[in-house]
Amino acid sequence: MKGLMKYLSPFAPDISGATAVLFGMKGLIVIIDAGGCTGNVCGFDEPRWKMEKSAIFSAGLRDLDAILGRDEAMMRKVGDVLGIMDGAEFLALVGTPVPSVIATDYQALKRMGQRKFGIRTLTIPTTGMELYDKGQERAYLELLREYRSSDSMTVDGNNSECPLSEGVTMDAGDSAESGSGALGILGATPMDLLESDTVEMLRERVSGCGGSDVRVYGEDVGDFAFAPHFRENLVISPSGLAPAKYLEEKYGVTYCVRYPLPDAFADYLLGDIDSGKLLIVHQAVLAETLRVEIEKARPFVRCDTATFFMPFGNSTALREEDDFIELVRDGGYDAVIGDPLLERAVSRSKMRFISLPHFAVSGEPM
């Protein structure tokens, strides 16, 4: 049956992806719902709640509020919250199935927020019907369009070839204040990272490749304003591809696509496996980067990659739980590398399963 999941749980939706990008930038995030979508975001899809705070609120819409599009009632609530906040960097209005069904005019909401509160207002038309990476992509693009520098300066250059296994170089002598010479990392949310990774670890690994000014999009809203002046962007998950292409096409900022894995990660993951055929299932940039590392470190191992999310490179796009089961059944694999929840779907198989958690799949704590 199409869409039936007997073994897997629902994946993180686009709403959660959008809020993951916005989480750490001191804005007021309002999810336009009656409370259920906000509960899902805060209860299941945002692991940083254990250590950090963020101003995420539900619009608390009643049935008639939603049906009749009573935007003024929602804005009054927004005003009450802004009144008790110690300054908000922005107001972000994040969509759910409710505004999607009633065809909410997001541009009108943007103008209303800016006029009523005198604050930069972002609108992200997520629907709750797509997956987290699509929400992240929309949030990145909205932030770039809203915060892009008024300076029309364009950096010369085209996207250079950047093999997944190669490092990133940058000039540490460029000005950190303006963003010139900085390296930006796109796609680094808890739903995209390795279980053991943090953005600080990524920054340290990338800094070791030749520069100290590394900006992770989503930590400081000012990075979106200075992004046109960055020297290069590193895309570590597929949600960062569209914003990276936007910055290249509009401002000439080059980009590279790879995940900066820990040293000798393939050896750590595979243990005594020296030959055979493997399937890696994760977000596609990480999966493809790992494939390159494994095949380089273990010449007699061959890997395929697959993903339930945005595809990249040679990854197979999985739409249904049954797609994964059929791929494993027909692929002749000796081992599968993926989130532990996936093992339930292929538990009757005799092949080896290697755990590589993906928070967007199982929601297990980081």
Side-chain angles (χ1 to χ4, degrees):
M1 182 184 297
K2 184 176 176 62
L4 177 65
M5 285 189 171
K6 297 185 293 184
Y7 305 103
L8 307 181
S9 61
F11 303 143
D14 54 358
I15 304 164
S16 299
T19 58
V21 172
L22 300 166
F23 183 91
M25 294 188 292
K26 300 180 181 178
L28 171 57
I29 305 165
V30 178
I31 299 176
I32 309 174
D33 71 337
C37 295
T38 305
N40 182 68
V41 169
C42 299
F44 299 97
D45 294 333
E46 186 45 77
R48 286 172 288 185
W49 279 113
K50 292 184 176 181
M51 301 169 287
E52 303 174 40
K53 294 180 180 179
S54 185
I56 301 180
F57 290 83
S58 166
L61 299 176
R62 300 179 302 166
D63 290 347
L64 285 178
D65 292 333
I67 294 168
L68 299 176
R70 292 173 176 166
D71 298 331
E72 283 291 348
M74 181 178 70
M75 287 301 181
R76 283 197 297 272
K77 296 177 183 179
V78 170
D80 292 341
V81 175
L82 287 172
I84 62 175
M85 287 184 69
D86 185 20
E89 294 288 345
F90 55 82
L91 166 63
L93 302 172
V94 180
T96 68
V98 174
S100 175
V101 168
I102 66 173
T104 292
D105 186 340
Y106 284 99
Q107 287 304 309
L109 286 181
K110 178 190 281 283
R111 290 192 295 270
M112 187 182 298
Q114 291 171 339
R115 183 179 66 250
K116 190 175 183 68
F117 307 118
I119 187 173
R120 197 181 294 269
T121 302
L122 316 174
T123 53
I124 304 172
T126 45
T127 65
M129 303 297 175
E130 296 180 283
L131 297 178
Y132 83 98
D133 46 1
K134 192 64 179 178
Q136 289 182 183
E137 177 187 86
R138 285 178 173 158
Y140 282 132
L141 288 171
E142 174 70 1
L143 283 157
L144 285 170
R145 289 165 184 155
E146 184 65 32
Y147 279 92
R148 67 181 181 269
S149 174
S150 58
D151 185 353
S152 60
M153 183 188 77
T154 300
V155 181
D156 292 332
N158 298 313
N159 179 36
S160 57
E161 292 295 325
C162 181
L164 290 169
S165 57
E166 290 186 1
V168 176
T169 60
M170 55 183 289
D171 185 358
D174 289 333
S175 169
E177 183 178 355
S178 67
S180 177
L183 172 70
I185 299 181
L186 281 160
T189 74
M191 284 182 278
D192 295 297
L193 304 183
L194 289 173
E195 182 183 30
S196 59
D197 267 347
T198 64
V199 292
E200 289 77 14
M201 292 176 180
L202 293 183
R203 183 181 287 107
E204 183 177 346
R205 261 178 241 147
V206 173
S207 296
C209 296
S212 59
D213 189 5
V214 180
R215 316 286 183 89
V216 178
Y217 289 94
E219 286 195 318
D220 186 337
V221 74
D223 291 336
F224 291 91
F226 289 120
H229 308 293
F230 285 7
R231 179 175 177 178
E232 187 176 22
N233 286 311
L234 174 63
V235 177
I236 72 165
S237 72
S239 66
L241 276 170
K245 290 177 181 177
Y246 170 83
L247 287 166
E248 183 196 44
E249 291 168 4
K250 194 166 183 66
Y251 301 104
V253 183
T254 62
Y255 68 90
C256 176
V257 185
R258 69 179 182 91
Y259 189 100
L261 292 168
D263 291 340
F265 188 71
D267 292 333
Y268 163 77
L269 199 63
L270 298 188
D272 60 354
I273 298 178
D274 291 319
S275 62
K277 186 178 181 182
L278 309 183
L279 174 65
I280 306 169
V281 185
H282 210 280
Q283 58 100 333
V285 172
L286 191 155
E288 283 286 286
T289 306
L290 181 57
R291 176 187 63 78
V292 170
E293 180 173 322
I294 288 175
E295 293 183 347
K296 183 178 179 180
R298 311 273 174 117
F300 297 105
V301 174
R302 289 292 173 264
C303 299
D304 290 337
T305 63
T307 186
F308 286 97
F309 306 101
M310 290 181 181
F312 169 73
N314 296 318
S315 60
T316 298
L318 304 172
R319 301 299 179 190
E320 306 282 338
E321 179 181 275
D322 287 344
D323 293 343
F324 170 64
I325 295 173
E326 290 172 8
L327 179 62
V328 172
R329 183 190 65 201
D330 301 336
Y333 297 107
D334 299 295
V336 172
I337 302 172
D339 188 274
L341 193 65
L342 299 177
E343 187 174 8
R344 302 196 309 191
V346 292
S347 59
R348 296 180 183 179
S349 173
K350 296 180 180 179
M351 68 186 170
R352 185 169 174 177
F353 194 93
I354 300 171
S355 175
L356 185 65
H358 188 184
F359 191 86
V361 172
S362 60
E364 290 296 322
M366 297 288 284

